[in-house]
Amino acid sequence: MADTVLVTGATGKTGSALARKLREMGVDVRSATRNPREAGDILFDWRDASTFEAALDGVDGVYLVAPTDTIEPLAPMQPFLERAIPDRRVVLLSSSSLPKGGPMMGEVHAWLADHSEDYAVLRPSWFMQNFLTQHLSGIREKGAIFSATGDGRVAFIDAEDIASVAASMLTRSETLNGDEPILTGPRTLSYDEVARSIAEASGRAVRHVRLTVVELASRYEGYGLPSNYATTLATLDDDIAKGAEDRVTGEVARWTGRSPNDLVAVLAPHAGMLRE
């Protein structure tokens, strides 16, 4: 069991929720950020080894969120991991679409498997919160969500549920032994069905615009993403179209004792934001 936890990605969707949940459980939390602003924040930069020692001092648990500016995160993460692994519990945020030894976080997953026993890897499906962040401008400005998923279905998951599983892992007494649960929401949805759910929640017309993988990659590049990263993300949509995410698991309930949250309930408090 971890009594003091370093949370990397502490300003992100799961990191911020995890830090809050751990504090509510009485756990001492170090929120790692490149721009410390609040009590409990600590300066941390994956590419600055001088920030590692203070971040790890007195810590017995670490929540790992990979840097978002690269599709090969192991290289910038490994120097920190080599210091963090001994005598510390580690929980890595990965993805249901990235198996151990695969690309991106799959490489970090494989490294942990070779160097640690008290670790786990969260492999969530796609976040419900994506429709409140990366899809938000399209919803507001064009009344549309854009994807290359076709009729593919996804069991979208609430970031709060991911954080709840992470909190359970970090505070349980038993060794984690490399568990790698696939985390999903309670039901699968096509992007057409998601568009209807957003329309119902917001009271405005919202449609799903079907793009090709090339068109979607170009759209991502228009947001400023590097070409190879944009193509990688767009290809994940093609995997969805082929059925890769069409599944529901019971892992959230196994780790938290309750059912995962539904998309409609997650969207409801944000109706005003979706309408603007």
Side-chain angles (χ1 to χ4, degrees), residues 139-262:
I139 294 168
R140 285 175 165 175
E141 297 167 14
K142 300 182 182 299
I145 56 175
F146 299 82
S147 88
T149 60
D151 293 317
R153 304 180 70 82
V154 180
F156 295 96
I157 185 166
D158 184 2
E160 290 282 332
D161 288 332
I162 300 169
S164 293
V165 174
S168 176
M169 287 179 163
L170 287 161
T171 57
R172 67 177 294 182
S173 58
E174 299 87 356
T175 300
L176 295 176
N177 291 320
D179 204 342
E180 49 176 298
I182 301 288
L183 306 178
T184 73
R187 59 190 173 120
T188 62
L189 297 164
S190 69
Y191 273 66
D192 288 347
E193 291 170 325
V194 170
R196 287 195 290 272
S197 294
I198 296 171
E200 292 170 4
S202 64
R204 60 170 297 168
V206 179
R207 62 197 173 97
H208 172 214
V209 177
R210 299 179 177 217
L211 303 177
T212 66
V213 171
V214 172
E215 289 170 337
L216 183 61
S218 178
R219 183 175 176 82
Y220 286 149
E221 286 186 55
Y223 295 150
L225 294 181
S227 177
N228 59 344
Y229 195 12
T231 299
T232 297
L233 290 179
T235 301
L236 294 177
D237 267 29
D238 190 47
D239 292 339
I240 291 172
K242 295 173 180 175
E245 297 293 333
D246 191 359
R247 59 188 167 191
V248 173
T249 72
E251 294 291 347
V252 171
R254 178 168 78 92
W255 284 96
T256 68
R258 60 168 179 79
S259 298
N261 297 324
D262 189 77

Side-chain angles (χ1 to χ4, degrees), residues 4 7 45-46 52-54 71 75 78 89 132 134 148 151 181 187 232 249 259-260:
T4 303
V7 178
D45 188 332
W46 288 111
F52 296 172
E53 184 175 352
I71 60 173
Q78 186 170 336
R89 173 167 296 179
L132 303 172
Q134 68 188 57
D151 293 317
R187 59 190 173 120
T232 297
T249 72
S259 298

Side-chain angles (χ1 to χ4, degrees), residues 8-9 44-49 52 56 62-85 90-94 104-109 111-112 121:
T8 66
F44 178 79
D45 188 332
W46 288 111
R47 293 176 172 82
D48 183 357
F52 296 172
L56 289 170
V62 182
Y63 180 65
L64 295 170
V65 178
T68 58
D69 59 353
T70 177
I71 60 173
E72 297 180 344
L74 180 58
M77 293 178 73
Q78 186 170 336
F80 173 79
L81 293 174
E82 289 172 348
R83 298 193 190 187
I85 288 300
V90 176
V91 174
L92 170 69
L93 176 65
S94 184
M104 301 174 70
M105 279 77 76
E107 294 181 344
V108 184
H109 185 167
W111 191 94
L112 287 174
V121 177

